[in-house]
């Protein structure tokens, strides 16, 4: 029977259209009620002051141990005095009409105090003189911006923060800095682990759209609750909370103001908030900066779809009728050709394609979806031996698992292999979450001849050449307690020079990078 794959939704009623209609009502009806309540309230009470602050962000519990784990710095951050706190501007009026697009929605939620200095002017000029770069960057944000704004509004956080990934990564979830910060929010490995971002053989949640956004907003809320000032919180996000805390302590000891403007900080951090302010100004008034913003509708771009069985990425792309590039843009945390249901319980798909995927997946309920599975090495093995054992081409085994030449797979390592025979089963949750690849240099031995000297024994010769006494006896077919005569010829097997070179440059020796002492001090810009 010919296999049929749906490529368009069966219903003419698009989920996107339905959402827009519901969304319009959602924004319009509360606005009407708000307008009526304001009109009636004006007759009964005096108007409130325009300097009223919005409610603070939801607190994120922080313990001294947690703070030390994030910043790796033992000093306590000094409390911020009331004089150092910066009042937030009130939220913009919602009006009686819903936002026309995401950009308008972001403008209405601006709530941070403005920064106005020469550094802001400098960054405005830099961005406005590169309209093509601005257009590419804002276009790249299309799949993600609505979700970020939704999360900010749900937490009652300023919508300026939706623009932060423009500064961090140019909204590229695949961005990696030379300091190993990754994702559109640029998490360092240690900080990512602290905020529960999985980093294993099969996925890196620092790149995940939903998880990295959740972690970034958790961290920003924590920093705001710690410092009581969004500019200081942003500086800490870039420089590290311990670094900002020490800078505040120095200012306090010297009788200087405890504000962002007055801190002594690295040049990158000095420009960090001005960059965000410059982008904010351009988004607020694009026509004044000759900037062109792409139309990004005020409705979801993607939908989350549950995954209950392991499935190849190629199969998921086919069932969803999307391109591989679009799939990877929404699921950038996946770095293998198979999606493991135990470790990745959901995927993101463009809204209408999600419906197509779900229908096609139901039609494939009794068919195999994955051709790959995970296998653990029972002992340290050469890739050639693994390939022969599992009946798999060695070149493919090396390629899919990233095994360099002249390297061996250590015992307990997890490898992606063909799913067949006794390996025809989904991967367990433990393996999906804890799988790792260990590499060791392949030892190539060469035979050398030595002569025993007066008084030598197998034990003394073995110690002299860095081998075991048992091996010395075995190689020369002698008993372990055999006596040697002066001038007796003996054979020893030692590692070749090539093996030593591989050992020195082995990627397996540094498979786990050391945690940075300042997890979020991203001193190098991410690769665009």
């Amino acid at each position: 029977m010919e296999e049929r794959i749906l490529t368009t939704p069966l219903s003419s009623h698009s989920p996107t259209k339905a959402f827009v209609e519901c969304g319009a009502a959602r924004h319009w009806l509360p606005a009407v009620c708000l307008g009526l309540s304001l009109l009636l309230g004006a007759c009964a009470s005096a108007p409130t002051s325009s300097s009223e602050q919005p409610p603070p962000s939801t607190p994120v519990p922080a313990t001294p141990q947690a703070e030390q784990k994030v910043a790796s710095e033992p000093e306590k951050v000094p409390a911020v005095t009331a004089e150092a706190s910066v009042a937030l501007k009130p939220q913009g009026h919602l009006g009686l009409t819903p936002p026309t697009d995401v950009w308008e929605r972001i403008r209405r939620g601006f709530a941070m105090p403005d920064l106005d200095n020469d550094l802001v002017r400098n960054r405005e000029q830099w961005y406005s003189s590169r309209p093509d770069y601005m257009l590419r960057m804002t276009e790249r944000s299309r799949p993600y911006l609505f979700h970020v704004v939704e999360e900010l509004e749900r937490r009652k956080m300023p919508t300026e923060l939706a623009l932060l990934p423009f500064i961090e990564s140019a909204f590229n979830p695949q961005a990696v800095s030379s300091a190993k910060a990754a994702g559109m929010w640029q998490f360092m490995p240690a900080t990512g682990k602290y905020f529960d971002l999985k980093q294993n053989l099969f996925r890196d949640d620092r790149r995940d759209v939903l998880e990295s956004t959740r972690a970034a907003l958790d961290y920003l809320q924590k920093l705001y609750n710690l410092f009581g000032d969004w500019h200081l919180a942003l500086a800490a996000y870039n420089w590290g909370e311990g670094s900002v805390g020490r800078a505040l302590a120095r200012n306090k000891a010297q009788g200087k103001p405890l504000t962002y403007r007055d801190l002594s900080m690295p040049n990158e951090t000095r420009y960090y908030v001005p960059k965000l302010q410059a982008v904010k100004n351009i988004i607020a008034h694009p026509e004044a900066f000759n900037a062109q913003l792409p139309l990004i509708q005020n409705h979801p771009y993607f939908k989350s779809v549950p995954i209950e069985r392991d499935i190849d990425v190629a199969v998921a792309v086919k069932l969803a009728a999307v391109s591989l590039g679009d799939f990877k843009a929404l699921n950038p945390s996946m770095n293998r050709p198979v999606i493991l249901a135990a470790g990745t319980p959901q995927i993101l798909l463009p809204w209408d394609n999600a419906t197509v995927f779900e229908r096609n997946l139901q039609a494939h309920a009794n068919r195999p979806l994955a051709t790959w599975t995970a296998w653990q090495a029972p002992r340290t093995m050469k890739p050639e031996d693994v390939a022969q054992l599992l009946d798999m081409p060695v070149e493919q085994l090396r390629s899919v698992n990233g095994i360099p030449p002249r390297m061996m797979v250590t015992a307990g390592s997890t490898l992606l292999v063909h799913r067949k025979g006794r390996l025809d089963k989904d991967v367990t949750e433990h393996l999906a979450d804890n799988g790792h690849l260990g590499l060791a240099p392949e030892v190539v031995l060469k035979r050398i001849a030595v002569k025993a000297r007066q008084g030598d024994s197998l034990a003394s010769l073995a110690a002299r050449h860095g081998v075991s006494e048992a091996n010395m006896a075995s190689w020369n077919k002698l008993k372990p307690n055999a006596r040697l005569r002066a001038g007796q010829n003996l054979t020893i097997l030692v590692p070749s020079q090539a093996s030593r070179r591989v050992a020195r440059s082995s990627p397996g020796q540094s498979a786990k990078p050391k945690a940075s002492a300042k997890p979020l001090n991203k001193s190098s810009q991410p690769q665009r």
Side-chain angles (χ1 to χ4, degrees):
M1 181 180 293
E2 182 181 356
E3 182 181 17
R4 299 183 63 189
I5 301 291
L6 297 176
T7 59
T8 57
L10 298 182
S11 171
S12 61
H13 300 289
S14 167
T16 301
K17 179 180 178 183
F19 181 89
V20 172
E21 291 171 352
C22 293
R26 184 184 67 180
H27 285 286
W28 185 79
L29 288 174
V32 171
C33 296
L34 176 63
L36 290 175
S37 62
L38 289 174
L39 180 63
L40 294 174
C43 300
S45 62
T48 58
S49 168
S50 61
S51 61
E52 183 176 305
Q53 296 185 7
S57 54
T58 305
V60 177
T63 64
Q65 294 88 346
E67 292 176 14
Q68 184 175 357
K69 187 173 181 181
V70 174
S72 302
E73 294 159 346
E75 294 93 344
K76 292 185 178 180
V77 177
V80 178
T81 62
E83 292 80 10
S85 300
V86 176
L88 299 183
K89 295 191 304 183
Q91 297 277 359
H93 297 294
L94 295 177
L96 297 179
T97 58
T100 56
D101 57 24
V102 166
W103 304 116
E104 179 59 29
R105 187 174 176 184
I106 291 173
R107 294 181 194 113
R108 295 185 184 190
F110 284 165
M112 286 187 189
D114 284 326
L115 184 68
D116 187 8
N117 59 26
D118 291 340
L119 296 183
V120 174
R121 303 286 85 76
N122 177 281
R123 293 298 88 189
E124 285 176 345
Q125 194 277 332
W126 192 95
Y127 286 117
S128 61
S129 65
R130 293 164 174 80
D132 292 342
Y133 172 77
M134 284 294 297
L135 184 59
R136 283 197 311 273
M137 186 168 64
T138 50
E139 181 61 45
R140 193 184 294 132
S141 72
R142 180 184 299 276
Y144 321 114
L145 203 52
F146 178 89
H147 171 73
V148 176
V149 175
E150 283 273 295
E151 287 300 297
L152 288 169
E153 289 185 349
R154 184 178 66 81
R155 297 171 181 239
K156 296 181 173 62
M157 297 174 72
T159 52
E160 287 98 330
L161 296 175
L163 309 177
L164 195 59
F166 288 127
I167 313 305
E168 286 289 339
S169 65
F171 249 111
N172 179 5
Q174 296 288 6
V176 181
S177 76
S178 59
K180 305 303 181 184
M184 64 185 185
W185 294 98
Q186 288 289 284
F187 273 96
M188 295 291 286
T191 315
K193 289 178 182 178
Y194 175 73
F195 284 99
D196 299 323
L197 296 178
K198 293 180 183 178
Q199 300 163 63
N200 56 44
L201 187 64
F202 301 105
R203 63 182 294 116
D204 185 348
D205 280 346
R206 294 179 300 157
R207 295 184 174 94
D208 186 85
V209 176
L210 304 184
E211 282 300 295
S212 69
T213 298
R214 185 268 308 162
L217 301 193
D218 283 350
Y219 191 31
L220 287 164
Q221 282 185 314
K222 176 181 183 294
L223 293 171
Y224 178 72
N225 291 335
L226 184 63
F227 294 109
D229 179 303
W230 278 115
H231 291 168
L232 292 175
L234 288 167
Y237 189 87
N238 174 259
W239 190 19
E241 61 192 75
S243 299
V244 171
R246 287 193 298 272
L248 287 170
R250 283 193 298 268
N251 274 27
K252 184 175 182 180
Q254 297 169 9
K256 295 180 180 179
L258 304 181
T259 66
Y260 170 80
R261 295 171 183 261
D262 297 286
L263 293 187
S264 176
M265 62 185 77
N267 204 42
E268 181 190 334
T269 309
R270 172 67 62 193
Y271 272 90
Y272 191 69
V273 175
K275 283 182 182 179
L276 182 63
Q277 182 68 53
V279 172
K280 171 184 177 179
N281 294 345
I282 293 171
I283 298 302
H285 305 287
E287 66 286 345
F289 296 94
N290 193 30
Q292 180 182 355
L293 301 180
L295 177 61
I296 301 180
Q297 299 288 354
N298 186 33
H299 60 70
Y301 182 92
F302 59 76
K303 182 180 179 182
S304 175
V305 179
I307 296 294
E308 298 177 353
R309 297 165 56 196
D310 291 0
I311 180 172
D312 286 355
V313 170
V315 175
V317 165
K318 183 179 180 182
L319 296 183
V322 297
S323 70
L324 181 60
D326 287 344
F327 181 87
K328 287 185 175 181
L330 289 176
N331 301 278
S333 65
M334 302 174 195
N335 48 26
R336 291 292 183 267
V338 64
I339 305 166
L340 305 182
T344 307
Q346 63 184 9
I347 60 174
L348 303 183
L349 293 170
W351 188 276
D352 290 339
N353 295 89
T355 303
V356 175
F357 176 81
E358 290 171 327
R359 292 183 182 277
N360 284 329
L361 190 62
Q362 288 179 355
H364 285 66
N366 299 318
R367 302 182 190 180
L369 299 175
T371 60
W372 297 96
T373 190
W375 174 84
Q376 277 191 303
R379 60 186 182 278
T380 299
M381 303 173 70
K382 294 181 180 180
E384 291 80 5
D385 296 336
V386 175
Q388 184 177 8
L389 178 66
L390 301 177
D391 189 23
M392 180 177 177
V394 66
E395 295 81 8
Q396 189 179 35
L397 179 74
R398 285 185 181 277
S399 174
V400 77
N401 291 286
I403 304 174
R406 299 192 300 277
M407 298 297 291
M408 301 178 70
V409 177
T410 59
S413 288
T414 304
L415 297 176
L416 273 187
V417 299
H418 288 165
R419 176 170 172 159
K420 57 185 178 182
R422 60 186 176 84
L423 296 178
D424 188 8
K425 55 186 177 182
D426 284 354
V427 178
T428 63
E429 182 177 358
H430 176 77
L431 200 56
D433 284 343
N434 299 285
H436 70 280
L437 175 62
L439 299 173
E442 181 178 315
V443 179
V444 179
L445 299 177
K446 68 176 181 179
R447 188 184 303 269
I448 63 171
V450 297
K451 285 187 177 183
R453 296 182 295 208
Q454 185 69 33
D456 272 346
S457 64
L458 287 178
S460 64
L461 277 173
R464 188 182 306 158
H465 293 279
V467 297
S468 69
E469 182 179 355
N471 280 341
M472 281 287 297
S474 174
W475 294 331
N476 294 279
K477 298 180 181 179
L478 298 172
K479 293 181 179 180
N481 59 352
R483 290 189 175 186
L484 303 180
R485 65 181 184 275
Q488 182 175 348
N489 289 321
L490 296 167
T491 296
I492 300 178
L493 299 181
V494 296
S496 67
Q497 290 296 323
S499 295
R500 293 192 181 99
R501 286 196 298 270
V502 171
R504 283 195 295 268
S505 61
S506 168
Q509 305 303 312
S510 58
K512 293 183 178 180
K514 294 180 180 179
S516 169
K518 299 172 183 176
L520 281 181
N521 184 6
K522 302 174 282 290
S523 59
S524 299
Q525 288 297 317
Q527 299 168 359
R528 301 295 186 237

